[in-house]
Amino acid sequence: MSKLAEYEGPILEIDKLSISFFTRLREIPAVMDFSVSVQPGEAVGLVGESGCGKSTVALGVMQDLGKNGRIVGGSIKFKGRDLADMSAEELRDVRGNEIAMIYQEPMASLNPAMKIGKQLMEVPMIHEGITEKEAYARALEVVTDVKLPDPKRMLNSYPHQLSGGQQQRIVIAMALMSKPSLLILDEPTTALDVTVEAAVVELVRDLGKKYGTSMLFISHNLGLVLETCDRICVMYSGEAVERGSIEDVFDSMRHPYTQALFRSIPLPGADKNSRPLVAIPGNFPLPHERPPGCNFGPRCDYFEAGRCDAGDILMSPVPDNERHHTRCLKFQEIDWDAPIHVGEQKEKNEPGRVVLKMDNLKKYYEVAANALFGGGTTKVVKANETLSFEARESETLAIVGESGCGKSTFAKVLMGLETATDGEILLDGRNIEHIPIQSRDARTIADVQMVFQNPFDTLNPSMTVGRQIIRALDIFGIGDSDAERKQRMLELLDLVKLPRAFADRMPRQLSGGQKQRVGIARAFAGGARIVVADEPVSALDVSVQAAVTDLLMEIQRNEKTTLLFISHDLSIVRYLSDRVMVMYLGHVVELGDTDQVFSPPYHPYTEALLSAVPIADTSIQKTHIVLDGDIPSAMNPPSGCPFQTRCRWKSEVPGGLCEKEVPPIRTMANGHQIKCHLSEEVFANMEPVIKIAAE
């Protein structure tokens, strides 16, 4: 029985909330004049860039702002009671029993030294005083609810024995143990694969309905918010700038920042040549450097001096819709239906000659069967199984698949960080598969470079930006003197659109997007022929993603670089790749140009991947496919087709062939390759997964 039946009004009511953090130097306002309410059983999405105050709002609701944070204005009411008026004991009761929070990193919420069952049972035993037997029964129920296999075994496991997706489900189960009235989810799926994310999102939605729980869903992914929430609140620099139902905000937005956000994400129809994304100009203001008047003013296309910067701007209701509000003085003067001012159109680079060729590449690892003590028998992990493909000059080849499919292993072999077990890698006709990086000459090292996922981990924190780039030039043997290298370093900063003054800055003085640009400058320092970009934008904000993606494309056009783009974000892949290679458990299961891979016939795995991608467009209809189970271990792969344990088409293949034989690679029309046993007839009748709904 839900606790909501007893209460009629809004579960959560935040009114004109202001939160500041106090340092020795100054008061830093993190959230100002913020209002939002969550009705019983409703899910409200809170979106915006990093640093806009989303998590601060959540911590305010939890009354967990640390010793420096204080609520300096407004109120937060839970079921009609102001949280600020509650005693420590009442707060503890509410926090454990009625409000639960799910964090971004599941392991931060789990005790590594305690079995899952015990951790789950603690919650109701402490807060409700129920017996161990009742607590165990409830733990079993919620673990079954979050669709974990073999619930009894799960309760008897330690956290490290579960995959990331399973750990996140356990954290959701833990939050549900006390059947809370309000669930706060802070980026709960950022660290998960897109297929696992789809399953977790569906789970959260279903559980919300089952338990009647209200939700505050914090995310920077507009597609996810569309799929999980009823209403949305867009934040920018500490303020709510637009609030309304999903349809109001997605289809008839009334704030320039919301519009700019949508223009910077790759929706179906965007194309890197004919319809490039439009990045938001300028940078996000620091809390103590906010502009007068409208915070978004300096980056806004519609800014009017003397009006937009004259004084504080309040939220106003949109006429004819009292539930839709915007913080913009000019929203009734702007033509919201005007065609998008298209970014500069570019000529499509025609791919040149083959630069990289892989032929039947295999990478196996031998590991001790008893990993803890070594010795005894060994097992083979087949990380890459017979990879064959070509990449041409000026071409972008995307490599997609879930974690553990072998994407990064293949990148390591290409870079020389690992050597191949079998097969060939030809770089400009030269075999490099057996040459480790320490034995490669400077030219080969400069030719194959990498841009990493996390820009924070790849820069030396104690060295200036300029020095780090000059060091790369040194290693690649570029320039005859220090002066020449310094000049080339400044030209590289121009190339990645960073001010030359940044040469003297330390990495800590740069934002995430700026650090990633330094990483790109360093990768291109030696005139790289091939750049492996491993999830280069997944750690960045949506608005920064557009700028960094655009930059990579522009450099590629000018330098004729071959780009191998490793990603699980199929929206970005569709936008910028020329060809796509889909990997599963070490195998290439599909390979073709982007249009072929994104329209039927698909490999069943590609079809599931496409169905899992959240798309921030209300006119899109998707076939709903959720993959059952986790990826099998590469140490113990299934017999036959690697995907057969999760495939929804398996029954179409007679005689149990999928379980007996690895499928051959089939070449469809125009060189499109699929590794599958399905018949031509089944392929011919496949429906598209993503459709644009008829107007």
Side-chain angles (χ1 to χ4, degrees):
M1 165 68 184
S2 163
K3 298 169 185 156
L4 297 179
E6 311 143 25
Y7 185 74
E8 296 295 317
I11 293 296
L12 180 70
E13 199 171 5
I14 301 177
D15 188 38
K16 296 188 171 53
L17 176 70
S18 295
I19 295 175
S20 290
F21 289 91
F22 292 85
T23 66
R24 280 178 309 197
L25 293 175
R26 59 170 77 88
E27 173 187 349
I28 297 172
V31 173
M32 297 92 65
D33 184 35
F34 178 84
S35 301
V36 77
S37 64
V38 184
Q39 301 298 326
E42 181 179 59
V44 175
L46 200 51
V47 298
E49 295 169 270
S50 308
C52 72
K54 307 186 296 289
S55 296
T56 306
V57 169
L59 292 172
V61 174
M62 297 301 280
Q63 297 285 302
D64 183 20
L65 292 166
K67 56 180 191 296
N68 294 340
R70 275 215 300 280
I71 293 176
V72 291
S75 64
I76 304 173
K77 287 183 179 164
F78 176 69
K79 291 188 175 177
R81 287 191 61 196
D82 194 329
L83 291 173
D85 297 340
M86 292 188 184
S87 67
E89 204 162 306
E90 285 177 307
L91 265 178
R92 193 164 54 243
D93 195 41
V94 164
R95 268 197 296 237
N97 216 356
E98 305 229 41
I99 305 179
M101 186 156 173
I102 295 169
Y103 296 90
Q104 186 167 349
E105 181 43 65
M107 270 313 275
S109 310
L110 295 172
N111 181 338
M114 201 170 167
K115 286 187 175 171
I116 298 289
K118 211 162 172 44
Q119 298 192 47
L120 289 172
M121 287 157 62
E122 263 192 348
V123 182
M125 283 167 74
I126 289 172
H127 286 287
E128 298 171 42
I130 67 176
T131 67
E132 198 168 327
K133 194 176 169 192
E134 288 172 311
Y136 183 81
R138 194 183 298 179
L140 204 55
E141 181 195 346
V142 291
V143 170
T144 311
D145 274 349
V146 295
K147 298 191 170 67
L148 279 166
D150 198 349
K152 287 187 173 161
R153 185 176 62 83
M154 285 290 161
L155 293 180
N156 205 29
S157 304
Y158 287 99
H160 69 268
Q161 294 172 303
L162 311 186
S163 69
Q166 290 174 334
Q167 287 172 359
Q168 192 61 288
R169 283 163 187 247
I170 289 294
V171 171
I172 293 170
M174 196 181 282
L176 292 169
M177 277 301 283
S178 57
K179 307 214 164 114
S181 309
L182 177 68
L183 194 53
I184 301 174
L185 301 107
D186 190 358
E187 301 269 15
T189 58
T190 306
L192 304 178
D193 272 317
V194 62
T195 47
V196 182
E197 175 179 84
V200 168
V201 162
E202 184 187 39
L203 174 77
V204 165
R205 223 177 26 224
D206 291 350
L207 293 172
K209 288 193 183 81
K210 175 176 175 179
Y211 290 109
T213 312
S214 305
M215 287 190 277
L216 188 62
F217 193 96
I218 297 173
S219 181
H220 63 258
N221 185 331
L222 288 158
L224 267 188
V225 168
L226 167 68
E227 293 191 356
T228 41
C229 298
D230 307 300
R231 288 194 306 122
I232 179 174
C233 175
V234 182
M235 280 187 87
Y236 180 78
S237 189
E239 295 178 326
V241 293
E242 185 161 12
R243 227 184 15 242
S245 72
I246 293 287
E247 288 73 21
D248 291 339
V249 176
F250 277 61
D251 299 339
S252 47
M253 55 196 70
R254 290 293 178 266
H255 195 281
Y257 175 61
T258 313
Q259 186 185 54
L261 263 188
F262 274 91
R263 287 179 180 177
S264 66
I265 57 178
L267 295 173
D271 176 276
K272 64 179 175 183
N273 298 307
S274 60
R275 253 206 58 203
L277 301 179
V278 183
I280 304 176
N283 286 319
F284 196 76
L286 291 169
H288 56 280
E289 293 173 358
R290 290 190 176 105
C294 175
N295 283 344
F296 188 58
R299 305 173 75 188
C300 179
D301 292 343
Y302 311 105
F303 179 75
E304 191 181 317
R307 183 175 168 199
C308 297
D309 53 5
D312 288 349
I313 295 167
L314 302 175
M315 288 292 261
S316 336
V318 173
D320 305 323
N321 186 349
E322 76 272 7
R323 293 200 73 186
H324 188 183
H325 290 73
T326 175
R327 195 182 292 271
C328 176
L329 292 175
K330 302 180 69 174
F331 75 93
Q332 289 178 286
E333 302 157 34
I334 295 168
D335 178 2
W336 297 101
D337 299 321
I340 291 180
H341 169 65
V342 174
E344 184 193 342
Q345 296 195 353
K346 306 286 194 314
E347 281 297 303
K348 186 176 189 299
N349 257 6
E350 283 310 315
R353 61 191 181 81
V354 173
V355 178
L356 178 72
K357 184 174 187 334
M358 287 210 179
D359 197 19
N360 284 330
L361 178 83
K362 292 183 180 178
K363 176 61 185 171
Y364 294 174
Y365 294 96
E366 278 201 354
V367 293
N370 184 338
L372 192 57
F373 302 108
T377 54
T378 58
K379 283 192 170 184
V380 174
V381 176
K382 299 180 176 183
N384 287 153
E385 191 69 270
T386 59
L387 286 187
S388 298
F389 69 90
E390 294 178 343
R392 298 171 185 277
E393 193 174 74
S394 295
E395 178 179 60
T396 302
L397 172 67
I399 298 153
V400 298
E402 296 167 281
S403 310
C405 72
K407 307 188 296 283
S408 298
T409 302
F410 137 78
K412 284 177 187 165
V413 176
L414 176 59
M415 298 289 296
L417 299 169
E418 301 272 4
T419 52
T421 306
D422 196 12
E424 291 188 304
I425 302 178
L426 297 165
L427 174 65
D428 288 328
R430 303 193 311 274
N431 282 68
I432 59 166
E433 69 278 355
H434 292 304
I435 310 173
I437 196 156
Q438 59 272 27
S439 308
R440 290 188 178 184
D441 57 67
R443 182 68 256 147
T444 308
I445 291 174
D447 275 347
V448 186
Q449 282 293 301
M450 195 154 182
V451 178
F452 295 90
Q453 179 170 1
N454 195 338
F456 308 92
D457 295 342
T458 53
L459 297 178
N460 183 333
S462 57
M463 207 185 257
T464 65
V465 164
R467 183 77 211 110
Q468 303 202 38
I469 296 174
I470 287 172
R471 192 159 169 263
L473 293 168
D474 251 346
I475 291 168
F476 300 148
I478 287 169
D480 297 328
S481 64
D482 286 350
E484 268 185 46
R485 281 190 278 273
K486 183 168 185 203
Q487 184 54 33
R488 174 73 184 134
M489 177 269 293
L490 293 172
E491 287 165 9
L492 282 162
L493 287 177
D494 297 342
L495 180 75
V496 295
K497 297 188 167 52
L498 283 176
R500 288 187 168 197
F502 274 37
D504 299 323
R505 288 202 180 179
M506 301 301 275
R508 65 170 186 276
Q509 296 170 288
L510 272 53
S511 70
Q514 290 165 342
K515 284 183 187 149
Q516 195 57 297
R517 285 166 188 252
V518 175
I520 292 170
R522 203 170 51 178
F524 282 94
R529 306 290 315 282
I530 296 170
V531 170
V532 181
D534 188 358
E535 302 268 15
V537 292
S538 64
L540 306 176
D541 271 317
V542 190
S543 53
V544 184
Q545 273 185 12
V548 171
T549 308
D550 206 38
L551 172 72
L552 272 172
M553 294 295 100
E554 191 177 325
I555 297 174
Q556 182 189 33
R557 273 187 202 96
N558 299 336
E559 311 272 324
K560 299 203 171 357
T561 318
T562 304
L563 194 63
L564 299 181
F565 191 85
I566 297 175
S567 182
H568 66 253
D569 181 344
L570 287 170
S571 308
I572 286 227
V573 164
R574 183 177 203 162
Y575 169 69
L576 60 78
S577 61
D578 302 307
R579 285 194 307 138
V580 180
M581 177 164 108
V582 183
M583 288 184 71
Y584 185 80
L585 215 58
H587 293 255
V588 175
V589 294
E590 184 161 4
L591 179 61
D593 66 40
T594 309
D595 289 339
Q596 288 170 340
V597 172
F598 278 81
S599 49
Y602 314 106
H603 185 281
Y605 177 56
T606 311
E607 180 189 52
L609 278 182
L610 290 172
S611 150
V613 177
I615 300 173
D617 186 337
T618 53
S619 66
I620 292 287
Q621 288 180 338
K622 288 192 307 185
T623 308
H624 188 63
I625 305 164
V626 170
L627 287 182
D628 286 331
D630 287 324
I631 303 184
S633 159
M635 207 186 288
N636 187 18
S639 58
C641 170
F643 187 58
Q644 54 100 349
T645 55
R646 304 167 82 195
C647 181
R648 72 184 191 125
W649 292 90
K650 193 163 76 167
S651 57
E652 299 284 336
V653 179
L657 192 60
C658 298
E659 291 166 23
K660 293 177 196 156
E661 289 178 28
V662 174
I665 289 182
R666 310 257 293 277
T667 303
M668 323 289 280
N670 302 324
H672 178 195
Q673 296 179 356
I674 298 182
K675 196 174 199 172
C676 185
H677 285 303
L678 287 174
S679 66
E680 299 286 336
E681 196 182 346
V682 173
F683 277 135
N685 291 326
M686 270 194 175
E687 294 277 315
V689 175
I690 298 170
K691 296 183 192 141
I692 294 181
E695 286 297 316

